[in-house]
Amino acid sequence: MDIHHIQASLSSSASSSSIEPPLSESHNTCAADRESGNFGCLHYRRRCKIRAPCCDEIFDCRHCHNEAKNSLELETLDPHDVPRHQIQKVICSLCDTEQDVQQYCSNCGVCFGKYFCSICKFFDDDVSKNQYHCDECGICRTGGKENFFHCKTCGCCYSKLMKDGHRCIERAMHHSCPVCFEFLFDTTKDISVLPCGHTIHLECAKEMESHFQYSCPVCSKSICDMSRLWEKLDKVIASTLMPDIYKNKKVWILCNDCGAEGEVQFHVVAHKCLDCNSYNTKQTIGRRPTASCSSTTVPEIVS
């Protein structure tokens, strides 16, 4: 979307400004009265509509356009998103005058939006979001320019609190959320940057946790401190004796957290990495077959 409130990610650049047209005092008073009306859509408070350059149709905002043109329920013949930077015409919501993109109506003088970006062709009357335009991202974001920095490697903007501690990943947000598949770079939903550096919608991360999924859906690394759980697994494994037929069985594992590979004692509950003590591991084929047991007498069990 035009505005992206990202939990750990958002950047900066000066928002575009425009010069208020000369109006008489009476005209100003009249315009102020009209500006108090309830205009806009579910996405933004504004007093103009846009003419989409792609289909030449009128919508309240680009999100209204994209929802209409990409709706699965409507079965549109030509699904597409509006190219926001190519919008050339807006229509005043008060006097219906169609005109070039600008902050004030050329006919009635009403302000289309207190925040206006001539680059993104974006209007919003709710300035409490602290909108600003990021030149390097090429879009407008929320949260205040002073609170974010643009990481050139990740290709997006992060909170200054992460400046010296985040893990860089090439174009970290230029992909879809690995859970819901919505494109992350211009989403309006909160985004969480995982310890591994991969990004995901915050609500999707919470949904994963509600289903006891604590590993990154992209790289499988643990997304939080799992040491207490590993300690509990130590106790469970110690108290769960394996049948004699499995006592000498070895398996090869790959640790998702540290990347180490090794041969460990087989256990039906879990396999512990000998390098970092993590149980976030997966069984692999291994470098060589183990001679401890024959596959004809010991069934292969993959944890």
Side-chain angles (χ1 to χ4, degrees):
M1 288 182 143
D2 294 286
I3 297 298
H4 325 295
H5 187 165
I6 301 176
Q7 183 195 20
S9 167
L10 268 181
S11 176
S12 62
S13 181
S15 61
S16 301
S17 60
S18 64
I19 300 175
E20 185 173 350
L23 296 172
S24 65
E25 183 176 350
S26 60
H27 197 169
N28 274 328
T29 302
C30 182
D33 292 338
R34 291 194 298 270
E35 288 177 16
S36 63
N38 184 23
F39 295 99
C41 59
L42 294 174
H43 307 102
Y44 303 113
R45 294 207 321 251
R46 52 171 60 173
R47 299 173 189 83
C48 68
K49 300 179 180 180
I50 62 169
R51 181 176 291 281
C54 44
C55 53
D56 201 36
E57 297 180 33
I58 297 174
F59 295 89
D60 285 313
C61 74
R62 78 179 190 91
H63 299 300
C64 292
H65 169 280
N66 295 345
E67 289 173 2
K69 293 299 181 180
N70 296 309
S71 173
L72 296 177
E73 297 177 357
L74 299 179
E75 297 183 355
T76 54
L77 298 177
D78 181 27
H80 63 279
D81 290 343
V82 65
R84 76 181 85 181
H85 299 98
Q86 297 178 25
I87 295 173
Q88 299 295 326
K89 297 292 183 180
V90 295
I91 298 89
C92 178
S93 299
L94 278 76
C95 67
D96 293 325
T97 301
E98 185 166 353
Q99 57 204 278
D100 293 337
V101 175
Q102 53 195 317
Q103 189 171 14
Y104 295 88
C105 178
S106 61
N107 181 50
C108 69
V110 71
C111 178
F112 293 146
K114 293 178 182 177
Y115 176 81
F116 168 60
C117 176
S118 61
I119 299 174
C120 296
K121 317 298 169 56
F122 175 65
F123 307 83
D124 194 356
D125 225 30
D126 183 7
V127 293
S128 66
K129 302 173 186 176
N130 294 321
Q131 303 96 325
Y132 56 90
H133 180 84
C134 172
D135 287 328
E136 292 177 280
C137 283
I139 55 179
C140 292
R141 297 195 179 278
T142 63
K145 175 182 178 180
E146 67 281 1
N147 298 319
F148 300 92
F149 75 99
H150 186 91
C151 176
K152 295 184 181 297
T153 301
C154 296
C156 53
C157 310
Y158 291 133
S159 166
K160 286 185 176 179
L161 297 175
M162 298 177 59
K163 191 167 186 178
D164 298 322
H166 81 285
R167 181 173 181 177
C168 286
I169 289 185
E170 190 75 24
R171 296 174 62 82
M173 286 208 306
H174 294 259
H175 63 84
S176 299
C177 172
V179 175
C180 69
F181 304 112
E182 179 186 346
F183 192 59
L184 289 174
F185 183 71
D186 56 0
T187 183
T188 57
K189 300 175 183 176
D190 289 352
I191 291 179
S192 177
V193 181
L194 303 178
C196 57
H198 292 115
T199 51
I200 183 176
H201 283 129
L202 179 59
E203 62 184 42
C204 292
K206 291 181 177 179
E207 181 71 14
M208 286 175 51
E209 291 180 359
S210 70
H211 290 86
F212 308 104
Q213 299 294 321
Y214 300 108
S215 59
C216 172
V218 178
C219 67
S220 297
K221 293 183 182 295
S222 298
I223 63 175
C224 57
D225 182 7
M226 302 290 287
S227 57
R228 293 180 62 184
L229 178 59
W230 301 159
E231 291 173 1
K232 290 181 180 180
L233 282 174
D234 282 338
K235 296 177 182 179
V236 171
I237 291 174
S239 62
T240 306
L241 299 179
M242 294 293 291
D244 291 341
I245 194 173
Y246 292 109
K247 284 187 176 179
N248 295 320
K249 181 173 174 62
K250 300 284 187 178
V251 292
W252 282 92
I253 63 168
L254 174 67
C255 179
N256 292 320
D257 285 339
C258 71
E261 187 179 12
E263 190 178 32
V264 298
Q265 179 69 42
F266 170 79
H267 200 283
V268 70
V269 175
H271 298 125
K272 185 176 185 177
C273 174
L274 300 179
D275 285 54
C276 68
N277 297 323
S278 169
Y279 280 101
N280 181 15
T281 62
K282 59 185 177 182
Q283 189 172 333
T284 63
I285 296 176
R287 300 173 185 169
R288 54 184 172 78
T290 58
S292 57
C293 296
S294 168
S295 60
T296 59
T297 59
V298 180
E300 187 72 16
I301 300 178
V302 179
S303 60

